[in-house]
Amino acid sequence: MSTSYRIGLVGKPSVGKSSFFNAATMNDVPEGAYPFTTIDPSVGEAYVRVDCAAPEFDEECTPNVGYCDHGTRFVPTKLVDVAGLIPGAHEGNGLGNQFLSDLNETDVLVHVVDFSGETDSEGEPTEGHDPRDDIAFLEEELDQWYLGVLEKGINRYESGYTTEDDAIEEELAEQMSAFKTNEDEIKRLIRRVDVGFEPEAWDEDDKLELAREIRKETKPMVIAANKMDTPEAQENYEVITSDPDYEHLTIVPCSAHAEKALKSADQAGVVDYRPGDDDFEIVGDISGEQEQGLEQIRDFLTEYGATGVQAALETALFDVLGVVPVFPGGANGLGNERGEVLPDCYLIPPNSTAEDFAYSLHSDIGDGFLHAIDCRSNRQLGKDYEVESRDVIEVITTN
């Protein structure tokens, strides 16, 4: 019940973005080392892991969507493979306009970067390319896009379209509403960059700084440092993660290739592997060469704790967006009238209240909200109770 969140997967051509998408969703998207393999935004179902609450009640859950594996609940979320990132996308180059509108449908971004430095800024094979250039390139494209929209709002404000008592934050919030921002947020960000509320006094740097702050707030980003199974990538990772200029970014070491190989081997009955785990077991007959390949992957898992594909998605939703997983309970604690046990796990926004949770179940349930019950302690919860991660909550409603 969590498909309202959409993680956008971005990156220049040939960095392993399709491999990452396929590994995360195991859907068949064509992979190829040339630009625009992925012309349409592919939307796939990926999963994030939540510790299931059922074992605490000595129960076994029966999920409606996703699945549960030994007490780990795999909850579905949407992964959008956004095509067309090339220099000048914000000016409409390549698939630029399509790229930006697809991007706007997402809540958080995972930027797949080739940390091995083996693809240049156009996605062509090279050696020694600095991954920092790619990180900066995406941020600059987005900043310029935001700046263009911001300037339209400033122009409208200055040309007198608005009534005299309209404040600049109202005009900008309306102009930038597609970015899911609002007046209060714009006001807070104008204060943060400390440019004052008189746009005629803003210079080009002020406008860019404000555009960047709005972008960082409304399109938060995780960097998937891909191809980390190469020595060059590992070297670059050490350098970049210790560079203070990159402290504002969350960087997750990753090998999409390793995740894809393990999932394929698991489906073929060769290994026993659960996505996101730090190890696997070889259970089928394999050649010496296959075993060697798998042992190299095992070394990578030992070094980095996992392939990083699951970690990147979960970091984006849980750490960066602060999304809260909640289980709706039933009249007998966990079940519902159909005898299902914890059939759903909802992913809801941070700082949600019990009443907000009721509305996420159904508007009628929210409208008739009386109180909620914490199924672990049987404590009654008022409408302002702030929901916590993995709460099991029954909602009592007149509807």
Side-chain angles (χ1 to χ4, degrees):
M1 304 312 300
S2 56
T3 47
S4 54
Y5 283 100
R6 292 165 77 91
I7 300 172
L9 202 58
V10 291
K12 66 185 188 185
S14 312
V15 294
K17 184 164 67 84
S18 293
S19 301
F20 186 109
F21 181 84
N22 285 348
T25 60
M26 282 308 265
N27 295 344
D28 290 320
V29 172
E31 288 179 36
Y34 55 91
F36 305 143
T37 311
T38 327
I39 294 293
D40 296 312
S42 303
V43 181
E45 195 169 71
Y47 296 94
V48 290
R49 293 170 299 171
V50 176
D51 285 340
C52 187
E56 295 174 46
F57 297 83
D58 293 326
E59 294 269 12
E60 220 169 284
C61 70
T62 48
N64 267 334
V65 291
Y67 62 100
C68 199
D69 185 351
H70 293 84
T72 298
R73 191 77 167 245
F74 285 78
V75 183
T77 188
K78 287 275 186 278
L79 186 61
V80 182
D81 186 0
V82 183
L85 173 63
I86 62 163
H90 72 275
E91 294 165 341
N93 291 348
L95 301 174
N97 295 327
Q98 185 63 43
F99 167 74
L100 297 173
S101 65
D102 292 341
L103 205 62
N104 226 11
E105 299 298 306
T106 63
D107 300 292
V108 63
L109 303 179
V110 172
H111 182 193
V112 182
V113 176
D114 176 359
F115 260 54
S116 72
E118 288 172 358
T119 43
D120 69 14
S121 55
E122 303 282 342
E124 301 296 335
T126 187
E127 279 177 24
H129 180 75
D130 190 341
R132 280 177 288 203
D133 294 348
D134 295 345
I135 296 171
F137 158 59
L138 177 64
E139 292 198 320
E140 282 158 17
E141 282 292 334
L142 297 184
D143 290 346
Q144 290 298 327
W145 172 35
Y146 271 67
L147 178 62
V149 181
L150 178 84
E151 284 179 330
K152 280 185 190 149
I154 294 171
N155 291 342
R156 269 178 65 95
Y157 179 78
E158 290 180 340
S159 62
Y161 269 120
T162 49
T163 58
E164 277 182 24
D165 36 354
D166 271 1
I168 181 63
E169 63 268 22
E170 286 176 53
E171 186 58 55
L172 293 182
E174 192 178 322
Q175 186 67 45
M176 306 187 86
S177 60
F179 299 128
K180 302 188 177 86
T181 186
N182 57 50
E183 213 180 300
D184 291 340
E185 185 168 61
I186 297 284
K187 201 171 183 175
R188 180 164 58 77
L189 297 174
I190 290 174
R191 287 211 177 98
R192 185 189 292 173
V193 297
D194 198 19
V195 290
F197 286 84
E198 301 299 328
E200 56 272 17
W202 297 350
D203 63 19
E204 294 309 309
D205 288 346
D206 293 336
K207 292 174 193 172
L208 180 60
E209 196 184 352
L210 180 57
R212 182 178 295 128
E213 281 303 314
I214 298 171
R215 187 265 303 168
K216 279 155 73 172
E217 204 76 7
T218 57
K219 280 280 171 280
M221 196 185 308
V222 170
I223 304 293
N226 197 27
K227 307 192 184 179
M228 281 292 291
D229 39 8
T230 63
E232 295 83 2
Q234 291 166 14
E235 208 171 297
N236 283 328
Y237 179 78
E238 289 305 318
V239 171
I240 293 169
T241 50
S242 53
D243 182 339
D245 286 348
Y246 291 85
E247 276 173 1
H248 69 287
L249 285 173
T250 307
I251 302 178
V252 178
C254 171
S255 169
H257 156 77
E259 178 74 9
K260 186 97 192 303
L262 287 174
K263 278 189 171 171
S264 299
D266 182 71
Q267 285 182 353
V270 171
V271 303
D272 190 3
Y273 170 68
R274 190 172 66 168
D277 278 2
D278 60 1
D279 203 0
F280 58 89
E281 191 184 345
I282 298 175
V283 291
D285 293 332
I286 51 172
S287 68
E289 197 180 341
Q290 285 172 313
E291 185 173 4
Q292 198 180 346
L294 285 169
E295 289 306 330
Q296 282 175 340
I297 292 175
R298 198 192 303 273
D299 291 343
F300 178 79
L301 297 188
T302 305
E303 177 71 23
Y304 290 100
T307 67
V309 170
Q310 277 299 132
L313 301 177
E314 288 158 6
T315 300
L317 274 196
F318 298 135
D319 299 348
V320 173
L321 282 186
V323 169
V324 181
V326 186
F327 298 93
N332 59 353
L334 298 194
N336 59 20
E337 62 282 358
R338 293 189 296 279
E340 299 166 328
V341 175
L342 292 189
D344 299 310
C345 178
Y346 280 72
L347 301 179
I348 63 174
N351 311 314
S352 292
T353 62
E355 187 178 37
D356 295 332
F357 175 56
Y359 273 109
S360 71
L361 298 173
H362 196 284
S363 56
D364 290 349
I365 294 175
D367 288 344
F369 181 88
L370 294 171
H371 61 265
I373 295 169
D374 178 334
C375 294
R376 287 188 176 89
S377 63
N378 288 325
R379 193 163 55 97
Q380 187 169 312
L381 309 170
K383 65 175 186 175
D384 295 331
Y385 166 77
E386 196 170 300
V387 175
E388 293 181 7
S389 178
R390 299 182 59 257
D391 269 352
V392 184
I393 292 178
E394 182 191 353
V395 173
I396 308 299
T397 176
T398 56
N399 297 327

